[in-house]
Amino acid sequence: MSTRPRDDTDLIAGVGLMAVAAFFGWQTMGLEIGTSLRMGPGYFPMILSGLLFILGLLVTIKSFGREGEPGTPIAWRGILFILPAPIFFGLTVRGLGFVPALFITTLIASQASVKMRPVSALILAVAVTVLSTLIFSYGLGLPFRRFGPWLPF
Amino acid sequence: MDLLANLAMGFSVASSIANLGFCLIGVILGTLIGVLPGIGATATIAMLLPITFQLEPVSSLIMLAGIYYGAQYGGSTTAILINMPGESSSAVTAIDGYQMARKGRAGTALATAALGSFFAGSVATFLVALFAPPLTAVALQFGAAEYFSLMVLGLVMSVALAHGSVIKALAMVVLGLLLGIVGTDIYTGTPRFTMGITQFADGLNFVAVAIGVFGFAEILRNLEDEHEREVMTRNINRLFPSRAEFREMVGPILRGTGIGSVLGILPGGGAILASFASYTMEKKLSKTPEEFGRGALAGVAGPESANNAGAQTSFIPLLTLGIPANPVMALMIGAMIIQGIVPGPSVVTDQPQLFWGIIASMWIGNLMLVVLNLPLIGLWVKLLTVPYYVLFPIIMAMSGIGVYSVNGNPYDLFAVAFFGLLGYVMSKLRFEPAPLLLGFVLGPLLEENLRRAMILSRGDPTTFLTRPISAGLLVVSLIVMVLVFLPQIRKRREEVFTESDA
């Protein structure tokens, strides 16, 4: 265990930036660089990847020799329910249709809070679905299928 | 006079029943989200953007603009009543506004904020009308090299005005530029960074990026620590200020308007800087500086005027150059592009109805805000009692619908989840999202102008320095960068942001 001060947040940030830069740089390899007169599709991204790598390196170097601020808790429950919600909506909106997909999506999202009771979640999801269907589908006439082909009726 | 004739045309466009209606919806929605903490103007505009595509371009931009300045208004209401700024630009208002509320002068503080904002908004709208056309004439002379340098300046300013580490803000700009490049190369048709997913051939959907990075990340941050919000629904005293209070607020409002108008034009979020600059100035000029922080009227009047003036004048670079001054303006550019309008100097000549209609609607919207908000304050206060766990599922549902209705592409919904995670990780690592979004919007434009400039100059990079306007813009960018890294300025900058965070 070293006792020298180190800002862990910035260390992770810097290494992360370098990794992202390396990824973009690697993706650029397959692109034609071209000349400075006629730049190919890879020219500008190559410069940017290099720049990002240097910036990441600077952040990493600067993270040593000073104390970081303490971190805040991570919203695991939020990540677990908030992020899958739009993915579920994307996967089912065509098959199930707008109404059931939105209902379940809202239900999933509402579980991200520890304070949400099952009954209130249901009421909220019904209200959101009904109002959204009235506003967006009937009111604004957005071209959504209300009930999709996966449903028997 | 040309200006008057143009303004008259603008007012005739903006005062049609439909446009008045959209302006009203915009300012009410804006106030609503400004009042509700945990959802900002950027995320809301991103969400509602797709819905406005069905409207006429003028109506849709009028409504979006209304959301933007309505949010500034609503933000100050929560800043005063519960010491929680709904928008970052009203953070300064919370310092003295909340103290006034605690002393039972909440009504006076709210009225001062509203009147100051209205005055500043009116003056700044007039300034936009006055200065946009001549600036447009200058902008029409711009070639690829000038545009490139101008965008560099815009990005540098957004870095200088971001919170926290300058290097990290720079990294965000570069990452944004790279993400903006995802999609098909316009010159050769080569797909870039699409991971072989053909749905991303047209580039990442910027509504998805904005909602993910601003909206979802914000929701996740709020869910980290679920505590009850304490709402101060103390009785609000009489709203209308006395004659003495009027006299007290005139100076700060005038000065705030001046500072705000100038700083708003700067790319990179001038409104926040403007409100802080105004606060510092009032404190320096005041005969009773010890009052500041304990409920000084000038500490509300000045910054509120400044941030509203700044919000209005930030439309100048958008309307004349097609360059966004802040993330909200970046979304407006997206809205214009999707409506088939090429943002830039040609808008004023090609679409005078649109241009002047938007300007006139800003004044009308400001008037609506004063008329509506003072009587409705009670309602807004009630809204604050809606618990967050009810709000965020609604926000999630709206985001999903919003993102999907842009192109009807499910991949955009996968992208929004990805950018939500990215935005949250970024905020954990203390990166600022605003420079990323600006970089994302400007990325393709920056590359295109760079390539065009290089072709025009036959591969000679000194073209950026031999053309005087371009060289001037680059010199200014360089000066800004050097200033930001100078030790004394750096220290001062940190103070500014810690104080505005408080």
Side-chain angles (χ1 to χ4, degrees), chain B residues 246-318:
Chain B
F246 257 123
R247 226 170 293 134
E248 203 182 326
M249 71 172 84
V250 169
I253 288 179
L254 286 175
R255 286 186 291 268
T257 305
I259 296 178
S261 303
V262 175
L263 291 179
I265 304 174
L266 297 180
I272 304 166
L273 191 71
S275 55
F276 187 82
S278 162
Y279 189 80
T280 318
M281 185 179 188
E282 292 310 325
K283 202 170 168 178
K284 286 237 168 74
L285 288 176
S286 172
K287 288 187 198 102
T288 51
E290 67 280 359
E291 275 287 296
F292 279 75
R294 295 198 199 129
L297 188 68
V300 175
E304 271 303 298
S305 314
N307 84 40
N308 216 44
Q312 304 290 337
T313 53
S314 60
F315 279 87
I316 291 181
L318 174 81

Side-chain angles (χ1 to χ4, degrees), chain B residues 122-192:
Chain B
S122 307
V123 172
T125 302
F126 190 71
L127 288 176
V128 175
L130 202 61
F131 285 108
L135 269 175
T136 307
V138 176
L140 282 171
Q141 317 281 318
F142 276 27
E146 282 79 15
Y147 265 107
F148 176 82
S149 306
L150 184 69
M151 282 184 260
V152 170
L153 176 61
L155 293 171
V156 165
M157 288 302 298
S158 80
V159 167
L161 295 176
H163 285 232
S165 152
V166 176
I167 296 175
K168 284 162 97 174
L170 263 176
M172 281 299 99
V173 167
V174 176
L175 183 60
L177 290 169
L178 278 166
L179 291 171
I181 285 171
V182 173
T184 311
D185 173 36
I186 47 160
Y187 282 86
T188 58
T190 322
R192 293 189 288 183

Side-chain angles (χ1 to χ4, degrees), chain B residues 70-84:
Chain B
Q72 309 277 337
Y73 252 76
S76 36
T77 307
T78 42
I80 290 168
L81 290 179
I82 57 168
N83 197 16
M84 186 195 271

